[in-house]
């Protein structure tokens, strides 16, 4: 087994696989209203190619956990089969999704061996949800969440991004809603990964602001356990057992503990969300590279991982690919 190690002592074991860059929402912090120029089909990995690369990651490179994401992974037709074949490799599988269509697929995904699911939900007010995502689909998300729970896909995690002037007044309301239903909520600081380059350091809602907004209505106490490579700072809410997470990706980066590696829908290895270089496994694979050769390329790609994302450096440059094409 070759570990996916870098020069700073980190070893990647958590593989994020983007299954498509397409999406049925248009969250304003992620993509423009008109969408993007989607990857052409011939550049997108086939189901067999995805499974082959995931298998190399697991069998040769020490990957222990595989999370499928996108774009929106539920729009990928082969998702259930890909999950089943990944589960059969004996690793934990999970999904990050906006939950549109989850109502139809939750049981099939559970039966295929999916272990966990994270759902993105930024508001439980219909108008605000519509404004943030540019689609009036809150009811579908809620139905998807309920279907996931009924299928045994718990504990369900919710991810929320707060945007100034849009939903930044709704953090306590979202937390109360999640606690009432037994969902674990985490707030994520908005990062400079939107396709339209609209992020601004001055405008983003910081982890400290999120903490202050929640503290106005709940008593938050540190959850005790050290966070390890998990990005969320966890707090007990009103003495527990409910908790809330705050992910301070920008203001308190956790790059030193990062154990992630990413594979894009077109077969590029990225050693960081913010990497400016990629390693093209698709072209090598289609040119006939063996599993061993692909594994070697992957190891080299990881060895060059930088110590941190550098968002706070004056010289920071946003990656060319937006979040939806990298896989969040
Ligand atoms: N479509 C799926 C979803 O929304 O869950 C999966 C892909 S999405 C890119 C993955 C996660 O990235 C979501 O939780 C979303 O809120 C988050 N995200 C997207 N753009 C972001 C940004 N600029 N800053 C922080 N998080 C972002
Ligand atoms: Fe789609 Fe997820 Fe991006 Fe929203 S955050 S537009 S749901 S990919």
């Amino acid at each position: 087994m070759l570990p996916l190690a870098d020069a700073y002592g980190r070893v990647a074991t958590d593989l994020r696989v983007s299954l498509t860059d397409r999406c049925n929402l248009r969250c304003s912090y992620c993509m423009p209203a008109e969408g993007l120029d989607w990857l052409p089909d011939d550049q997108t990995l086939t189901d067999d190619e995805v499974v082959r690369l995931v298998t190399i990651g697991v069998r040769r490179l020490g990957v222990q956990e595989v999370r499928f994401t996108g774009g929106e992974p539920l729009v990928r037709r082969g998702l259930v089969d890909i999950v089943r074949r990944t589960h059969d490799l004996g690793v934990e599988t999970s999904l990050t999704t906006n939950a549109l269509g989850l109502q139809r697929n939750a049981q099939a995904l559970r039966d295929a061996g999916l272990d966990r699911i994270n759902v993105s939900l930024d508001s439980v007010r219909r108008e605000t949800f519509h404004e943030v995502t540019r689609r009036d689909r809150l009811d579908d998300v809620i139905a998807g969440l309920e279907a996931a729970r009924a299928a045994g896909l718990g504990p369900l995690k919710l991810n929320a991004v707060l945007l100034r002037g849009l939903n930044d007044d709704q953090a306590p309301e979202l937390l109360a809603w999640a606690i009432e239903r037994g969902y674990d909520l985490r707030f994520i600081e908005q990062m400079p990964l939107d396709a339209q380059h609209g992020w601004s350091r001055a405008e983003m809602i910081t982890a400290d602001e999120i903490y202050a907004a929640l503290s106005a209505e709940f008593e938050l106490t540190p959850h005790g356990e050290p966070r390890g490579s998990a990005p969320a700072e966890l707090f007990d809410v009103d003495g527990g057992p409910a908790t809330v997470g705050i992910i301070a990706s920008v203001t308190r980066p956790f790059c030193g503990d990062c154990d992630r590696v990413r594979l894009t829908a077109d077969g590029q290895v990225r050693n960081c969300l913010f990497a400016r270089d990629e390693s093209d496994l698709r072209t090598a694979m289609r040119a006939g590279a063996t599993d061993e050769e692909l594994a070697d390329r992957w190891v080299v790609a990881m060895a060059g991982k930088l110590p941190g994302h550098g968002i706070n450096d004056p010289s920071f440059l946003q990656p060319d690919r937006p979040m939806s094409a990298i896989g969040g």
Side-chain angles (χ1 to χ4, degrees), residues 98-293:
N98 63 26
L100 297 188
L102 188 55
Q103 200 180 6
R104 271 192 314 280
N105 284 332
Q107 193 61 55
L109 286 166
R110 181 70 188 133
D111 294 346
L114 188 70
D115 293 299
R116 282 176 293 112
I117 196 156
N118 285 18
V119 171
S120 305
L121 180 60
D122 305 318
S123 173
V124 288
R125 289 189 209 166
R126 189 171 167 186
E127 316 75 57
T128 312
F129 180 93
H130 189 169
E131 216 175 332
V132 173
T133 66
R134 303 190 180 101
R135 298 287 186 271
D136 185 12
R137 303 290 299 272
L138 176 62
D139 290 347
D140 297 294
V141 176
I142 293 174
L145 277 166
E146 283 166 5
R149 192 211 307 268
L153 280 165
L156 286 159
K157 282 195 177 158
L158 302 183
N159 294 341
V161 176
L162 295 180
L163 303 170
R164 202 171 296 283
L166 262 182
N167 62 344
D168 57 328
D169 57 338
Q170 297 176 26
E173 173 182 332
L174 198 52
L175 179 56
W177 187 92
I179 290 175
E180 203 179 309
R181 288 159 184 79
Y183 303 140
D184 293 332
L185 176 64
R186 305 173 322 160
F187 291 93
I188 307 176
E189 280 182 342
Q190 186 193 1
M191 295 179 279
L193 286 168
D194 57 315
Q196 60 278 31
H197 291 226
W199 181 89
S200 118
R201 181 74 172 74
E203 277 298 301
M204 63 164 281
I205 305 287
T206 64
D208 287 348
E209 286 178 90
I210 298 167
Y211 180 87
L214 294 174
S215 296
E217 298 202 20
F218 300 95
E219 193 192 330
L220 301 189
T221 43
H223 182 62
E225 292 161 26
R227 73 181 190 188
S229 60
E233 295 173 49
L234 260 195
F235 300 93
D236 288 328
V237 180
D238 291 340
T243 57
V244 64
I246 302 181
I247 305 186
S249 332
V250 177
T251 57
R252 284 191 287 280
F254 34 86
C255 302
D257 291 320
C258 181
D259 62 357
R260 295 182 182 175
V261 50
R262 294 184 148 79
L263 182 65
T264 64
D266 57 344
Q268 313 294 307
V269 166
R270 294 181 65 91
N271 58 29
C272 172
L273 261 182
F274 294 91
R276 301 195 53 79
D277 297 320
E278 301 180 336
S279 178
D280 183 359
L281 296 190
R282 184 195 75 232
T283 302
M285 177 163 53
R286 291 185 181 171
T290 63
D291 285 1
E292 193 178 355
E293 286 162 350

Side-chain angles (χ1 to χ4, degrees), residues 23 25-27 29-31 70-72 98 324:
C23 191
L25 293 183
R26 294 285 182 274
C27 305
Y29 51 79
C30 185
M31 58 172 86
E72 176 44 50
N98 63 26
S324 56

